Amino acid sequence: MDMQSSIVYLDYNATTPLDDRVLERMLPYFKQQYANPSSPHLFGMQVLEEIEFAQEDLAYLIGCRATDLIFTSGATEAINMAIKGIPEDHRKHIICAATEHNAVLACCRYLATTGYRVTYLPVDRDGMIDLEMLQESITCDTKLVCIMLVNNETGVIQDIQAIADITHQAGAWLLCDATQAVGKIPIDVKKMGIDVMPLSAHKFYGPKGIGALYTNPDLKSLRPLIHGGQQQGGIRSGTLNVPGIIGLGAAASIAKKEMELEKIKISKLREFLEKSLLEIDGVFVNGHLEKRIYNTTNVCIPDIQSQEMILALGNIAVSSGSACSSVTNKPSPVLKAMGLDDHHNRSAIRLSLGRFTSADDIDYALERIKKIITKFRG
């Protein structure tokens, strides 16, 4: 492979390439099995059955019942559905971590305009929630606590089970954004105490434009955001994205079988990459060094702007934070919440590895990064 002309992709947290096996499973549903699954005829019922199989595969991956899942266009819609659609009662207080994805933060900001009070929970320098502070922040008015499982920028993993215990003791519900975790690490929503959990297929080798929302059956039905033909129990109306759902199910099935082997391979590559980067003068890691997902490293390279590094890397795809906010050159709100000053914040890059990352990719990226640093530091 000619590394000079090929894309070396180290931005798996932004999106993953579609696995060929997933694509192969999806293709018939574009041309041969194209019936509307809501149709009453045999053709439609056959497609509906395949959707139910895909739903079972996803449920098996996260430890829930198939009937606990609602298909969406992705995690952002699922988050909006969960936060804006949670049943109304007397409680008007929401707690969310300051390091949540902007989809969660934006929904909370919106609800603040409708009479809700929102507490933004700080994190420490490692990006971790203070459980005592969470305990102190919860009141009898708290309805919802929003804490993500794996941070998309730093890979930091929160103790969701402990957070769930605190949340439930107060009678509140827990929304856990697991978009960066599903398909990468084991998840059991029941054991972990998660009440509402959004996810997106394109983060674990499925297609874009399809996601799902797990909802604890003990939670009363969510108020729908989309009204129409009463599909999915009226919670999310609209003709189902059949190829997308089939792809989501296929990606879930593959992840369930291959997750552990993938973790071993990717962990070794990330460890070598990070160790090599830390040998460069001044470089340091953002986020907890142990409570972190195995595919992600977020490092500061002092005195070099991350945008300059990204442009100089050319055919090597890395990022400076969340893909959803990378169009701006503002300091990362996540790193800012972790106490990083703007100077170092603007020098942070995220490298995230995945299923198709090779040792050659890592060697080539390290060689290029070191050359660029030498050139820029002059």
Side-chain angles (χ1 to χ4, degrees):
M1 181 174 69
D2 180 9
M3 287 290 198
Q4 295 292 336
S5 58
S6 301
I7 293 293
V8 173
Y9 190 72
L10 300 177
D11 199 20
Y12 277 77
N13 284 10
T15 193
T16 57
L18 186 67
D19 192 297
D20 286 343
R21 295 167 291 179
V22 174
L23 177 60
E24 185 179 355
R25 186 79 179 86
M26 292 172 64
L27 286 175
Y29 296 89
F30 288 104
K31 292 202 71 175
Q32 289 84 34
Q33 294 170 272
Y34 52 81
N36 189 325
S38 298
S39 298
H41 47 68
L42 181 60
F43 194 15
M45 291 170 66
Q46 288 173 337
V47 173
L48 179 60
E49 185 178 39
E50 292 299 319
I51 284 176
E52 290 171 348
F53 289 148
Q55 201 166 13
E56 290 284 354
D57 284 334
L58 179 58
Y60 183 51
L61 178 66
I62 64 172
C64 71
R65 303 179 307 176
T67 51
D68 298 337
L69 293 166
I70 297 290
F71 293 116
T72 68
S73 63
T76 295
E77 184 192 339
I79 288 166
N80 275 261
M81 181 186 294
I83 296 178
K84 296 176 184 175
I86 198 161
E88 285 286 350
D89 58 26
H90 67 280
R91 295 172 296 177
K92 294 286 184 181
H93 180 224
I94 296 174
I95 297 172
C96 75
T99 49
E100 291 299 295
H101 189 279
N102 197 46
V104 170
L105 296 173
C107 284
C108 290
R109 288 193 294 267
Y110 165 74
L111 285 186
T113 68
T114 68
Y116 277 80
R117 182 170 63 88
V118 181
T119 298
Y120 297 98
L121 207 61
V123 297
D124 63 20
R125 187 60 188 260
D126 289 331
M128 301 300 296
I129 293 292
D130 183 330
L131 296 181
E132 289 186 9
M133 190 174 291
L134 170 62
Q135 182 92 57
E136 292 167 0
S137 300
I138 293 181
T139 72
C140 59
D141 196 38
T142 304
K143 176 187 285 191
L144 187 66
V145 174
C146 305
I147 308 289
M148 69 199 319
L149 177 51
V150 174
N151 187 273
N152 52 304
E153 292 191 32
T154 62
V156 167
I157 299 176
Q158 301 291 345
D159 186 350
I160 292 300
Q161 195 161 346
I163 291 167
D165 290 342
I166 294 169
T167 301
H168 293 154
Q169 284 169 13
W173 301 99
L174 174 63
L175 181 147
C176 178
D177 176 5
T179 308
Q180 290 293 342
V182 173
K184 298 175 186 174
I185 59 176
I187 292 175
D188 187 317
V189 291
K190 302 291 186 185
K191 290 180 180 178
M192 296 170 76
I194 297 170
D195 296 305
V196 204
M197 190 180 83
L199 59 94
S200 196
H202 78 99
K203 300 294 188 179
F204 59 105
Y205 312 97
K208 295 176 180 64
I210 186 70
L213 180 68
Y214 158 76
T215 305
N216 184 336
D218 293 337
L219 181 66
K220 292 179 182 178
S221 292
L222 296 173
R223 292 175 297 150
L225 296 183
I226 300 174
H227 298 84
Q230 295 297 300
Q231 290 90 345
Q232 303 197 78
I235 302 299
R236 203 270 190 180
S237 295
T239 302
L240 294 175
N241 174 1
V242 177
I245 292 170
I246 298 300
L248 174 54
S253 178
I254 292 168
K256 187 70 176 179
K257 295 171 188 171
E258 301 181 2
M259 191 186 302
E260 287 306 312
L261 286 175
E262 222 162 70
K263 177 182 177 180
I264 293 168
K265 173 207 162 190
I266 297 171
S267 295
K268 290 178 180 176
L269 291 175
R270 199 279 303 270
E271 184 179 352
F272 175 72
L273 170 65
E274 191 169 276
K275 183 180 178 183
S276 300
L277 289 172
L278 289 173
E279 291 171 355
I280 300 169
D281 185 43
V283 172
F284 61 90
V285 174
N286 296 307
H288 202 287
L289 295 178
E290 295 175 2
K291 298 174 183 177
R292 192 169 39 131
I293 200 163
Y294 55 85
N295 80 312
T296 305
T297 184
N298 187 308
V299 295
C300 275
I301 306 174
D303 305 320
I304 299 177
Q305 296 279 302
S306 56
Q307 293 301 318
E308 292 178 341
M309 174 63 77
I310 290 167
L311 289 173
L313 284 170
N315 66 319
I316 302 174
V318 302
S319 82
S320 56
S322 171
C324 303
S325 58
S326 62
V327 291
T328 70
N329 195 25
K330 294 179 180 178
S332 159
V334 169
L335 299 183
K336 198 164 188 173
M338 290 165 58
L340 204 66
D341 63 70
D342 287 354
H343 173 72
H344 285 106
N345 199 325
R346 288 192 172 93
S347 297
I349 62 168
R350 180 190 70 187
L351 302 97
S352 46
L353 287 53
R355 182 174 293 169
F356 307 110
T357 305
S358 68
D360 286 343
D361 291 336
I362 300 302
D363 289 340
Y364 178 65
L366 284 168
E367 180 187 352
R368 288 282 304 281
I369 289 170
K370 288 175 181 177
K371 285 182 178 178
I372 291 166
I373 292 172
T374 300
K375 178 182 177 183
F376 280 14
R377 286 180 172 174

